[in-house]
Amino acid sequence: MTAITSELEPLYQAAKAAAAQAYAPYSQFPVGVAVRAISGQIYTGCNVENASYGGTVCAERNAIAAGVVAGVRQFDALMVYTPQEQLTPPCGICRQVIAEFFLPDTMIYSSNHKEQLQGWTVQQLLPEAFTPMYLANSTKVATE
């Protein structure tokens, strides 16, 4: 674990502010995320839970969706924030969505209220991800 750098400070602060808006009455596990577009613009999201658990949406997907609504198709950083002791990486479905919009060597960070930081590349979080890049490089399946 390392500390938040000055380059990552804006992402950390944005993710922390987003976590304060989380709707987590069931898990009591608020999560905030900030993603940075290639342009430098930051988009945020928080988890929004639902009594029908399948209707819950994670902070990572909400932040990415906010960027997509603004026309962004590629991001270069993602910061997860939780007010927990343990640093929390993205869940499985979020890893798949991250792989869709981030290059494999992009760093994905997790942070907490102690300003601790841990990072992984997209490739580490989801090796051999099934994405448009994967499809473009795969061979065509015979239709015979």
Side-chain angles (χ1 to χ4, degrees):
M1 280 185 273
T2 61
I4 305 297
T5 65
S6 59
E7 177 191 353
L8 294 175
E9 183 71 25
L11 280 171
Y12 174 78
Q13 291 301 330
K16 184 176 179 180
Q21 299 304 316
Y23 179 72
Y26 307 103
S27 70
Q28 301 299 309
F29 192 79
V31 180
V33 167
V35 295
R36 185 178 61 213
I38 301 297
S39 68
Q41 180 70 38
I42 294 175
Y43 300 91
T44 60
C46 63
N47 56 322
V48 179
E49 295 180 351
N50 191 281
S52 172
Y53 291 129
T56 295
V57 183
C58 297
E60 293 89 338
R61 289 183 282 144
N62 277 332
I64 291 167
V68 170
V69 167
V72 178
R73 296 297 183 264
Q74 189 175 5
F75 302 90
D76 67 3
L78 183 147
M79 176 75 67
V80 176
Y81 172 87
T82 59
Q84 313 297 320
E85 295 295 317
Q86 185 172 345
L87 297 172
T88 308
C91 74
I93 194 169
C94 287
R95 291 176 190 210
Q96 179 62 49
V97 173
I98 289 165
E100 187 85 10
F101 294 98
F102 292 77
L103 293 173
D105 61 347
T106 304
M107 292 299 296
I108 305 300
Y109 298 99
S110 180
S111 62
N112 65 11
H113 67 285
K114 293 182 176 182
E115 297 189 11
Q116 294 172 321
L117 184 71
Q118 185 172 358
W120 307 268
T121 65
V122 172
Q123 175 69 25
Q124 288 172 317
L125 289 175
L126 191 63
E128 300 182 40
F130 186 73
T131 65
M133 258 192 286
Y134 176 85
L135 293 172
N137 294 323
S138 68
T139 58
K140 292 190 177 188
V141 177
T143 57
E144 297 176 29

